[in-house]
Amino acid sequence: MPKGKGPQGKRITLKVAKNSLRVLFNGRRRLELSKMGIAVFPKCLLELADVEEIDLSRNMLRKIPNIIEKFQNLMWLDLHSNQIDELPAEIGTLQSLTYLNLCNNKLTTKGLPEELTRLKNLRTLNLGLNCLETIPTTLGALRELIELGLFDNSLTIIPKSVKKLPKLERMNVKRNPLPEFAKEDEPIDTIKRIESLYLVEKKDLCNSCLQTCQGERDELHKLEDMTPGPSDKPNFSSLTTPNSTAMDNQEEWRIK
């Protein structure tokens, strides 16, 4: 490996890329390049720039080049589980994009370009498992967004413009230091506990209170009488003789 350079990864040729092309049930063409050890975006993919879907997940990509703008038919882009720390401004030119998965990368707030908000048809955006400390308020411009993943970041606030997106149905913000999750709700104790106990002598009670106490004491005694006590002998009803009853004189059944 040359000095000062990162991992070279696997070299993807046009032949390899063409062999990775799949036609889905809906007629879309997808480049399936997941888990191939790719460290640099393959330029040969420009020969297949008319595809609708690209899966480059689980590789070693650090950068997405500006040539991404050549993929104008792209509707679905999966880049999760790479090492991407920033997106190019040209990502905003992909006007047909409806699905963008950037989960499990190294994106910071600075690495999110303002042009991301130009993806007017985006319905799913996953930014979970990154290094985001804030979310740009401009993401509120993604009016078609239905699902937004923000889990496992360092967010302390979610902008109102994002919370009020008109079509947003699912927003995952778990495992962020958000104030509303700072203090977990205490479990509800369904058992009534005695907080204070006052002891008084019988002679100090009025007739009404005395009758109430005596009545409750009688109820407790009834419950005690109903509670079955421990049996003197263990009984194993489901077993056959000689073990159906543990006999005092064990020699008796042995002789039989």
Side-chain angles (χ1 to χ4, degrees):
M1 184 170 64
K3 185 177 179 182
K5 292 190 176 182
Q8 295 301 297
K10 182 179 178 180
R11 183 172 178 266
I12 300 299
T13 63
L14 181 58
K15 182 179 179 180
V16 172
K18 286 182 176 180
N19 289 336
S20 301
L21 193 61
R22 303 287 183 269
V23 179
L24 307 181
F25 69 93
N26 56 10
R28 294 183 189 175
R29 293 159 300 162
R30 177 185 293 183
L31 273 172
E32 295 186 350
L33 298 170
S34 179
K35 296 184 290 186
M36 297 188 70
I38 301 172
V40 178
F41 190 91
K43 291 184 178 180
C44 67
L45 297 188
L46 288 174
E47 297 292 330
L48 302 169
D50 58 344
V51 296
E52 291 85 12
E53 301 189 3
I54 296 180
D55 183 359
L56 278 165
S57 64
R58 298 185 177 94
N59 282 296
M60 300 183 293
L61 291 169
R62 293 182 180 274
K63 302 289 182 184
I64 300 300
N66 55 14
I67 59 173
I68 195 68
E69 66 182 352
K70 301 296 183 181
F71 296 80
Q72 285 299 305
N73 291 337
L74 207 57
M75 303 175 69
W76 191 93
L77 179 58
D78 193 345
L79 297 169
H80 86 266
S81 302
N82 279 282
Q83 301 176 33
I84 302 168
D85 56 8
E86 66 176 338
L87 295 174
E90 287 76 10
I91 194 86
T93 66
L94 306 180
Q95 294 296 298
S96 298
L97 203 64
T98 61
Y99 176 94
L100 178 58
N101 190 352
L102 293 160
C103 174
N104 194 21
N105 277 284
K106 297 183 178 181
L107 287 167
T108 62
T109 305
K110 187 179 179 180
L112 297 179
E114 186 177 347
E115 287 78 6
L116 192 64
T117 61
R118 294 173 58 189
L119 301 176
K120 301 300 182 182
N121 292 306
L122 198 63
R123 297 179 181 179
T124 299
L125 175 60
N126 193 344
L127 294 169
L129 275 168
N130 276 285
C131 307
L132 302 173
E133 295 184 350
T134 59
I135 291 296
T137 58
T138 51
L139 285 188
L142 302 176
R143 311 290 289 179
E144 296 297 316
L145 207 60
I146 296 174
E147 185 172 4
L148 177 60
L150 298 172
F151 54 91
D152 292 287
N153 279 286
S154 301
L155 304 175
T156 56
I157 188 171
I158 305 296
K160 289 183 179 180
S161 60
V162 174
K163 288 182 178 180
K164 294 182 178 181
L165 282 168
K167 296 186 179 181
L168 192 64
E169 295 179 2
R170 296 177 295 276
M171 182 170 64
N172 188 344
V173 296
K174 292 180 179 179
R175 294 176 295 278
N176 277 285
L178 294 165
E180 52 262 48
F181 299 115
K183 184 179 180 181
E184 296 183 358
D185 295 334
E186 295 182 0
I188 299 174
D189 190 350
T190 57
I191 301 176
K192 292 182 179 180
R193 311 287 180 177
I194 297 176
E195 296 182 357
S196 301
L197 179 64
Y198 299 95
L199 300 177
V200 296
E201 293 186 15
K202 184 176 179 180
K203 63 181 180 63
D204 295 328
L205 291 173
C206 64
N207 289 334
S208 178
C209 293
L210 181 59
Q211 289 177 2
T212 300
C213 291
Q214 288 176 338
E216 292 182 355
R217 184 182 60 184
D218 293 341
E219 290 295 325
L220 287 174
H221 288 328
K222 288 179 182 179
L223 289 174
E224 290 175 357
D225 295 338
M226 291 171 61
T227 304
S231 176
D232 294 334
K233 296 181 180 180
N235 185 29
F236 307 92
S237 57
S238 62
L239 300 179
T240 58
T241 306
N243 290 332
S244 59
T245 302
M247 308 178 72
D248 291 332
N249 186 358
Q250 300 296 326
E251 296 298 327
E252 191 171 332
W253 58 261
R254 288 196 181 96
I255 294 172
K256 291 181 181 179

